Amino acid sequence: MNKPTIIFDMDGTLLDLAYDDFIWNTLLPIRYAEIHQCTLEESKKVLFTFYQEHNHTLNWYSSKFWTSKVGIDVLNMQLEYKHKVSLRKGCLELLKFLKNNNYNIWLATNADKAGLSFKLQEMNLASYFDVIVSSEEIGHAKEFIEFWQILQQKHPFDPKNCYFIDDTEKVLNGAKKFGIEHLISIQQPSSDTAPRLTFSYPMLETLTDLISYLKHTEEPKKYA
Ligand SMILES: [Mg+2]
């Protein structure tokens, strides 16, 4: 059997979700209130209603969509604070381990192409991955089986010999429907939010926990 394909999500998995929480839950409400001359409370109310309407759709992940919806250039706003993007603990150590041990390392994100590009550049991560894909180019969010079907057509892989690590339950559910064998989540996607106590998928406390997980599940196969 070949080495498994390890597919990572980006935000909340390899990168600290605190950045995105800051952009969308703190900064955008302030900017929206300034531009639309309303109180911060009103601004949050309007924005959080928008968020609920579009959560888990491709729109939700699109800077272009939000720019036209709220009248603020949200890509520029993210770039303005790009120094706040940061890696989750153990990220580089894990990626180096996987690369040195010849695993296929993929990145599959719902971030749009512009968001993906500046974050990878800022964190200098691109060279670790054999495949990098944004749901914007696939045309479906990862929550939907279509994303996985099209990904497999573009970049063939065996879902039975695959690990997928993502912090979002609905995304993991989509991957499960497609048939990905090993589904793993993250205990604390944002350093600003308390760790989860329970979750419907096994959780990594630190990213490097995946190394012992792999040792446990992959090594017996060599002797089978
Ligand atoms: Mg995520």
Side-chain angles (χ1 to χ4, degrees):
M1 194 182 247
N2 293 325
K3 282 258 174 177
T5 303
I6 318 277
I7 308 181
F8 288 102
D9 166 50
M10 183 170 69
D11 301 321
T13 297
L14 295 178
L15 304 186
D16 190 340
L17 199 64
Y19 169 81
D20 307 273
D21 286 344
F22 165 74
I23 294 291
W24 299 99
N25 300 336
T26 303
L27 187 61
L28 188 58
I30 295 171
R31 297 279 167 95
Y32 187 91
E34 280 165 9
I35 289 200
H36 298 276
Q37 310 237 307
C38 60
T39 65
L40 190 56
E41 201 174 274
E42 285 162 345
S43 161
K44 281 189 174 169
K45 209 170 155 191
V46 171
L47 287 173
F48 295 167
T49 307
F50 289 163
Y51 293 171
Q52 270 172 8
E53 276 169 28
H54 297 281
N55 200 356
H56 301 294
T57 68
L58 267 190
N59 279 343
W60 167 264
Y61 301 106
S62 166
S63 303
K64 282 184 206 136
F65 170 81
W66 288 111
T67 296
S68 67
K69 180 99 183 161
V70 302
I72 294 161
D73 186 333
V74 296
L75 179 61
N76 255 338
M77 195 180 76
Q78 292 175 78
L79 291 173
E80 207 182 306
Y81 283 88
K82 65 179 182 183
H83 56 277
K84 273 181 162 295
V85 176
S86 67
L87 300 175
R88 288 196 59 256
K89 202 173 156 215
C91 176
L92 288 184
E93 199 184 322
L94 172 62
L95 292 175
K96 280 176 187 161
F97 170 85
L98 296 174
K99 205 157 180 64
N100 291 336
N101 287 278
N102 302 313
Y103 282 95
N104 301 299
I105 320 174
W106 294 18
L107 183 69
T109 179
N110 274 334
D112 63 7
K113 289 188 272 182
L116 167 64
S117 156
F118 89 80
K119 284 177 176 171
L120 282 185
Q121 202 177 349
E122 193 64 16
M123 294 293 101
N124 205 10
L125 284 184
S127 63
Y128 289 100
F129 302 104
D130 301 292
V131 168
I132 297 176
V133 69
S134 154
S135 56
E136 185 185 5
E137 72 177 88
I138 300 282
H140 298 272
K142 290 187 291 181
E143 285 85 336
F144 299 92
I145 194 167
E146 288 86 350
F147 171 91
W148 299 99
Q149 290 164 338
I150 296 170
L151 176 66
Q152 201 190 27
Q153 283 163 18
K154 288 190 167 209
H155 304 281
F157 69 101
D158 177 6
K160 294 285 157 220
N161 190 26
C162 178
Y163 291 74
F164 176 51
I165 302 99
D166 196 295
D167 62 305
T168 301
E169 186 173 5
K170 284 198 168 137
V171 169
L172 289 162
N173 292 344
K176 188 177 185 181
K177 220 184 256 178
F178 175 70
I180 290 184
E181 183 76 18
H182 303 279
L183 298 163
I184 303 169
S185 192
I186 299 291
Q187 190 163 32
Q188 192 180 16
S190 164
S191 58
D192 281 348
T193 311
R196 293 157 164 158
L197 296 177
T198 57
F199 203 63
S200 6
Y201 294 91
M203 297 185 285
L204 302 177
E205 191 187 330
T206 303
L207 281 167
T208 43
D209 291 348
L210 185 68
I211 296 173
S212 46
Y213 195 96
L214 284 172
K215 282 186 177 155
H216 191 72
T217 47
E218 291 305 307
E219 272 181 8
K221 287 184 187 167
K222 289 180 196 163
Y223 307 103

